[in-house]
Amino acid sequence: MRRLLKLVAAAMLLLLLPEPALATDPYAFFDWDVSYITAAPLGVKQQASHHVHWPILFCSSFIFFPSASLRVHSDEPGTGQVIGINGKFPGPVVNVTTNWNVVVNVLNDLDEPLLITWNGIQHRKNCWQDGVLGTNCPIPSGWNWTYEFQVKDQIGSFFYFPSTGLQRAAGGYGGVIVNNRDVIAVPFGRPDGDITILIGDWYNKNHTDLRKMLDSGKDLGMPDGVLINGKGPYRYNDSLVPAGIEYETFNVHPGRTYRIRVHNVGTSTSLNFRIQGHNLVLVETEGSYTTQQNYTNLDVHVGQSYSFLLATDQNASSDYYVVASARMVNESRWRRVTGVAVLRYSNSGGPASAPLPDPPQDQNDRTFSMNQARSVRWNLSAGAARPNPQGSFRYSSINVTQAFLLRSAAPVSIGGRRRATLNGISFAPPETPLRLADAYGVKGAYTLDFPDRPPREGEAAPRIARSVINGTYRGFMEIIFQNNDTRMQSYHMDGYAFFVVGMDYGEWTEDSRGTYNKGDGVARSTIQVYPGAWAAVLVSLDNVGIWNVRSGNLDSWYLGQEVYVRVVNPEDTGNKTEMTVPDNALYCGQLHKYQKYGREQTPHHKMGASSARSSSVACRLVTAGMILLAGVFAS
């Protein structure tokens, strides 16, 4: 009997323990089934692909194979499809704490390849988890793949999304919260609640139709509306908003303070965010605490994230509007491109009925939004992921070792195809991920000749290439984004937070450095660049890997407006500054022969779209059961 009790204890311990850990920091496990779901965010019916299939369970010693897998479509291919996670749109919020290890098992239940990227998560020493084509082979339809990364030395508000083929325009996104450790002081009192708000423009056409439009040389045109947390607008105007649309409601209590995290997850539209009758106290953006300032509204550009403190200090005579409206466009013509949700106090006197709160009245003042952006400053005295103040890193005292001026312009025709460029180069998506190519010595996967300045007019014709920036490990790089297009752009850099040191209208020159903010430029990962203007950032290249720099606008990114920065430590021969290729790496292109078929890399589908236990948990269940059975027979 004593032996049986020991075996029972061992079995229970096996069930409770996570996968073998690489560190003492906690692990958070997630299982995501990414599939098409039925949804009508703007009142236009969107159809899902329905799947009938049987599960496969893989254990280290036992494999259970399905008899078949059948996919049944509810209508013809190409119909509107929303991408959900575990049957929900938007996907779940990933809520973790500094230095936690995050394990996300992703089953691709779509009918095309999939990658998930983690906007603003730096993946220290681990670009293998970045989820873009330069570092990862996409997850084939019907396959699952497990991301495993640590949110090392980070705090703040971020989001994830599918990174290939305009899939983000169909959903598949969700928020990421990285909380401070208890031992680190936060520069404001503990909020009474934490609310994630995902705003973004939305097209009723599905992402495959949007791809066809871009491939045929067309613009995407005006979106059909703006979603707030995956839902359409409250019917604030009978002529602009049809009846029957589901809208988002944020329920709050009077006399409290809430932290709200706002992310622009849309396709290409800058949005002005505001809450009727309330001030927003900005406290953090993309992993950096900011100086605390009041805003009645704030422009949130594509790919950007902000968090505010909201005091519920109004009289609650009625509900209040939460608004996200289009910016940097002809706003009178774009009136219907407005998302409206409801802030409802528990003692609310009734539904919202007044006109929407006005957007900024700056039609003839192009400096308003830029000055607002300049007002976002780094909180130098606050700690973040570590106890030392953010301002202890004095970026202005570091010598710049490399400088790149990246100029964008309106799309051009290259070889009869409409393409977007940086410095005259339109990036060609790689067959073989660049980092894998390096690891396996594949020659010719890319070149290290990306120009540090745009070509002079007539000097070089635009071209399609896989040209990469050769960054210097532990160097300090200056990047100037020059937007010579007529529309708003934003740019994101994976693997890093850069310091925003300047922006202005006109062409950047060497003299522009005299206007840089040399003290409290905020550190973030996505920067807006106004039409006919420039923005300058500084970044310390201390994270080894190959890292994506891209347009935040999905159409520009799809058309080739991106580049990679390669950062290599030539002295590292023992993987001290970069992790090795993960054991479960997917292989494609010239390395497809290395693909292993086994535990987590055999095509299969799950039963429906709901969450299910991971194969690793199931394996532990089987193993635990066998231990118990062995104990019973032995006793």
Side-chain angles (χ1 to χ4, degrees), residues 561-590:
Q561 201 166 96
E562 64 176 324
V563 67
Y564 284 83
V565 178
R566 178 179 181 263
V567 181
V568 174
N569 179 3
E571 299 176 0
D572 184 3
T573 58
N575 301 113
K576 292 180 180 178
T577 55
E578 184 184 27
M579 296 181 184
T580 57
V581 181
D583 290 339
N584 68 336
L586 295 173
Y587 293 88
C588 55
Q590 296 184 61

Side-chain angles (χ1 to χ4, degrees), residues 514-525:
T515 68
Y516 283 4
N517 177 346
K518 296 179 173 61
D520 59 357
V522 72
R524 63 186 311 168
S525 57

Side-chain angles (χ1 to χ4, degrees), residues 33-39 45-53 70-84 87 108-112 141 206-208 605-610:
D33 185 357
V34 182
S35 66
Y36 296 121
I37 64 172
T38 299
K45 188 72 171 178
Q46 304 219 355
Q47 297 296 324
S49 300
H50 298 292
H51 304 92
V52 179
H53 37 117
L70 176 65
R71 174 168 296 196
V72 181
H73 290 274
S74 62
D75 56 356
E76 294 300 318
T79 58
Q81 295 169 330
V82 174
I83 297 175
N108 178 11
D109 234 342
L110 306 179
D111 55 4
E112 60 184 17
S141 173
N206 65 38
H207 66 289
T208 56
H605 289 283
K606 287 190 177 180
M607 296 281 288
S610 62

Side-chain angles (χ1 to χ4, degrees), residues 424-466:
I425 298 175
S426 184
F427 191 83
E431 258 185 20
T432 307
L434 311 181
R435 186 64 195 92
L436 270 181
D438 268 0
Y440 283 83
V442 175
K443 304 298 182 184
Y446 63 90
T447 59
L448 287 171
D449 59 354
F450 193 88
D452 61 4
R453 292 289 186 275
R456 295 186 181 90
E457 188 174 350
E459 185 177 63
R463 60 192 175 99
I464 298 174
R466 294 191 193 101

Side-chain angles (χ1 to χ4, degrees), residues 255-399:
R256 299 188 182 179
T257 300
Y258 295 84
R259 183 172 182 177
I260 59 173
R261 303 173 191 258
V262 182
H263 313 269
N264 187 335
V265 296
T267 297
S268 59
T269 305
S270 297
L271 298 172
N272 182 266
F273 181 81
R274 54 201 185 273
I275 298 179
Q276 183 183 27
H278 292 74
N279 283 328
L280 303 169
V281 181
L282 180 66
V283 293
E284 177 260 336
T285 180
E286 298 166 22
S288 287
Y289 288 122
T290 64
T291 56
Q292 295 180 20
Q293 300 184 67
N294 279 303
Y295 295 87
T296 55
N297 64 79
L298 187 70
D299 290 341
V300 185
H301 303 278
V302 179
Q304 291 189 329
S305 301
Y306 290 97
S307 67
F308 306 92
L309 296 182
L310 172 71
T312 52
D313 54 6
Q314 300 302 299
N315 61 21
S317 58
S318 67
D319 295 341
Y320 297 93
Y321 291 125
V322 179
V323 182
S325 60
R327 289 281 279 155
M328 312 303 157
V329 293
N330 183 335
E331 292 172 24
S332 61
R333 195 169 69 87
W334 283 54
R335 280 185 67 202
R336 65 180 172 84
V337 187
T338 299
V340 182
V342 167
L343 181 74
R344 177 168 296 154
Y345 283 52
S346 57
N347 62 339
S348 173
S353 59
L356 296 184
D358 288 332
Q361 302 299 304
D362 63 340
Q363 289 82 357
N364 300 314
D365 179 12
R366 66 177 187 169
T367 63
F368 175 86
S369 181
M370 183 178 286
N371 285 336
Q372 192 184 62
R374 288 169 173 157
S375 72
V376 178
R377 301 296 183 96
W378 215 23
N379 186 332
L380 300 180
S381 61
R386 294 184 175 184
N388 51 302
Q390 292 180 144
S392 59
F393 187 92
R394 295 180 174 84
Y395 62 83
S396 61
S397 64
I398 304 174
N399 293 325

Side-chain angles (χ1 to χ4, degrees), residues 395-411:
Y395 62 83
S396 61
S397 64
I398 304 174
N399 293 325
V400 170
T401 57
Q402 291 177 280
F404 284 81
L405 173 59
L406 306 183
R407 187 174 67 197
S408 64

Side-chain angles (χ1 to χ4, degrees), residues 57-77:
L57 175 62
F58 295 94
C59 287
S60 55
S61 303
F62 304 89
I63 303 178
F64 300 89
F65 293 99
S67 57
S69 178
L70 176 65
R71 174 168 296 196
V72 181
H73 290 274
S74 62
D75 56 356
E76 294 300 318

Side-chain angles (χ1 to χ4, degrees), residues 121-130 148-150 152-154 386 435 473-474 495-496 542-547 567 569 572 574-582:
I121 300 299
Q122 294 177 13
H123 302 294
R124 306 293 300 179
K125 307 179 183 180
N126 194 11
C127 71
W128 309 108
Q129 310 296 322
D130 198 25
E148 183 171 352
F149 56 88
Q150 186 179 27
K152 180 70 174 171
D153 291 337
Q154 286 194 265
R386 294 184 175 184
R435 186 64 195 92
Y473 177 57
R474 290 184 175 169
Y496 293 96
D542 59 353
N543 193 14
V544 172
I546 289 184
W547 302 104
V567 181
N569 179 3
D572 184 3
N575 301 113
K576 292 180 180 178
T577 55
E578 184 184 27
M579 296 181 184
T580 57
V581 181

